[in-house]
Amino acid sequence: MKLHTFPPSPNSRKVELVAHTLGIKLEIVPVNLPAQEHCQPVFLALNPKGMIPVLQDGDFVLPESNAIMVYLAEKKPSALWPSDPRARAEVHSWLCWDLAHWQSTIGIFMFQNIVKPLVLKQGEPDEAMLVAARELLRRHAGVLDGHLAQHDYVVGPQPTLADFALAPVFNFTEMGKIPVEPYGHIRRWFGRIQALPAWKATEPKF
Ligand SMILES: N[C@@H](CCC(=O)N[C@@H](CS)C(=O)NCC(=O)O)C(=O)O
């Protein structure tokens, strides 16, 4: 299986964490985002949405990191994607929250503080966008922190796809100026994720 990806991408790391944990070998096909390779016809023929990561499994092509995580987890059953319907539904619920709320909030910090000034060289961050993002973060990080006050991992007693979906952006809190310092339960949970062999094995090389 091939993973078309830009290696520092947190969305790609979600997939790599799952693949590593399950012992699934992925051939990495680099897509140079700063060089706009994802906007070229060759890549758009693969994924018209113009985004990485994209999984290619023979003639099956699948974009969207959370869908790819589930696809891999269904190929090789494990505790990452629990078989119990309620536990699985809880993981699924956090995957939805990740896409609908968490990623979209963190994405504002990542774009304004990293991609816009450093990659696209489009000037200073938009302060009004950052003010709105800080407000969203207070709400969503508060939810995650409150949940993790009661749980070592997001669902159940060990890591699941929910942890692997939510954790990769924490690598960028400093660079992206994402104000997560007040959230001690999140920080301690992230420490547990960083201690996992899969986390160490998928550390992006800048
Ligand atoms: N919802 C998508 C988001 C993917 C995404 O935002 N990918 C970024 C890199 S991390 C990208 O390809 N950006 C290029 C662009 O938006 O032009 C997923 O979870 O896979």
Side-chain angles (χ1 to χ4, degrees), residues 72-85:
L72 295 181
E74 290 199 337
K75 272 185 176 272
K76 219 166 166 185
S78 77
L80 285 182
W81 185 229
S83 55
D84 171 69

Side-chain angles (χ1 to χ4, degrees), residues 10 46 48 76 81 99 107 122 164 166 197-198:
L46 190 72
K76 219 166 166 185
W81 185 229
L99 284 184
Q122 287 178 353
F164 286 174
L166 296 169

Side-chain angles (χ1 to χ4, degrees), residues 25-44:
K25 182 101 187 77
L26 294 176
E27 181 191 335
I28 301 294
V29 182
V31 179
N32 189 334
L33 293 190
Q36 302 288 296
E37 258 177 40
H38 60 300
C39 303
Q40 303 307 314
V42 175
F43 185 81
L44 291 174

Side-chain angles (χ1 to χ4, degrees), residues 9-11 14 33 38-39 50-53 63-66 99:
S9 149
N11 287 311
K14 297 176 181 185
L33 293 190
H38 60 300
C39 303
M51 287 184 181
I52 56 93
E64 288 295 328
S65 56
N66 288 4
L99 284 184

Side-chain angles (χ1 to χ4, degrees), residues 118-175:
L118 305 177
V119 181
L120 300 177
K121 315 260 189 237
Q122 287 178 353
E124 292 301 303
D126 179 332
E127 189 50 34
M129 297 285 286
L130 288 171
V131 168
R134 283 185 209 111
E135 192 55 43
L136 286 169
L137 187 83
R138 258 192 293 281
R139 174 174 177 184
H140 301 316
V143 168
L144 185 59
D145 197 63
H147 181 76
L148 291 170
Q150 314 289 334
H151 304 86
D152 281 351
Y153 295 100
V154 176
V155 178
Q158 54 196 318
T160 64
L161 297 189
D163 300 273
F164 286 174
L166 296 169
V169 291
F170 284 94
N171 241 18
F172 292 90
T173 49
E174 207 172 306
M175 205 193 260

